[in-house]
Each structure stands twice: as structure tokens, then as C-alpha cells.
């Protein structure tokens, strides 16, 4: 069983964390604003993703061999949360890096 989406989502999340800790070092993970942002993202991701992946009438279908099979809450594959974390965090890290390169960093 390949579990391709699971492997890709875990790898993406780990790589983004390593990118911050070992290369970019923006301090993003220490900022309350980042964690508030992630809660807001989840607040939108859960209802939208829940509707898209509901098992009784899915809009998006996942191959059983590509995912772990763990679906929380409702019918959302856990991989979607890992992918969402990696995608949003990567964008924020690159934004912070770009802001820092232009001298307009506010490190609150």
C-alpha cells in the first residue's frame, strides 16, 4: 500500500518546519499571530473540506490506497490538514522572508 498522499503530506509538513528551523529562521512559530492565523484557516477549512469530502456525496474522491483512512472531523482525511498546514505555513514563511529582505520587518 503506497499511501502516496499521506507520505507527501507528512513530508511537506516536515520540510516546512525544517525550512523554518534550519534555514529561514523568521521566528514565525513563536508569534501568537501565526497561531491565530492557523485557527482562522482551520475555521474555514473544516466546513469547506468537510463538504467537499463527505462520504455520502463527495465532490473530491480519494483512492483508498493513497490515504491513511483516518478521517476527522466528519469525513475529512487527516492528510488534508497536514497539506493545509504545509501550504499556508510555507506561504507565510516566504512572505516573512521577503519582508525581511526588504527591511520592513516588524518582529512583534
Amino acid at each position: 500500500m503506497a499511501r502516496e498522499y499521506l507520505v507527501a503530506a507528512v513530508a511537506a509538513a516536515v520540510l516546512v518546519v525544517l525550512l523554518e528551523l534550519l534555514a529561514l529562521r523568521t521566528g514565525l512559530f513563536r508569534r501568537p499571530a501565526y497561531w491565530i492565523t492557523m485557527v482562522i484557516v482551520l475555521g474555514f477549512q473544516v466546513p469547506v473540506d468537510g463538504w467537499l469530502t463527505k462520504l455520502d456525496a463527495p465532490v473530491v474522491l480519494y483512492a483508498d490506497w493513497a490515504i491513511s483512512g483516518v478521517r476527522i472531523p466528519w469525513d475529512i482525511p487527516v492528510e488534508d490538514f497536514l497539506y493545509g498546514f504545509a501550504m499556508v505555513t510555507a506561504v507565510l514563511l516566504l512572505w516573512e522572508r521577503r519582508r525581511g529582505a526588504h527591511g520592513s520587518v516588524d518582529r512583534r
Side-chain angles (χ1 to χ4, degrees), residues 76-90:
I76 303 170
V78 70
E79 291 86 353
D80 282 3
F81 293 105
L82 292 169
Y83 174 75
F85 164 81
M87 179 179 58
V88 172
T89 302

Side-chain angles (χ1 to χ4, degrees), residues 51-104:
W51 177 74
L52 289 172
T53 61
K54 61 187 174 196
L55 292 176
D56 62 338
V59 175
V60 177
L61 296 171
Y62 293 95
D64 290 337
W65 53 265
I67 63 173
S68 66
V70 176
R71 291 175 172 260
I72 53 166
W74 301 305
D75 298 325
I76 303 170
V78 70
E79 291 86 353
D80 282 3
F81 293 105
L82 292 169
Y83 174 75
F85 164 81
M87 179 179 58
V88 172
T89 302
V91 167
L92 293 173
L93 286 172
L94 294 174
W95 179 269
E96 286 297 307
R97 181 64 170 199
R98 184 173 183 268
R99 271 188 357 144
H102 289 81
S104 60

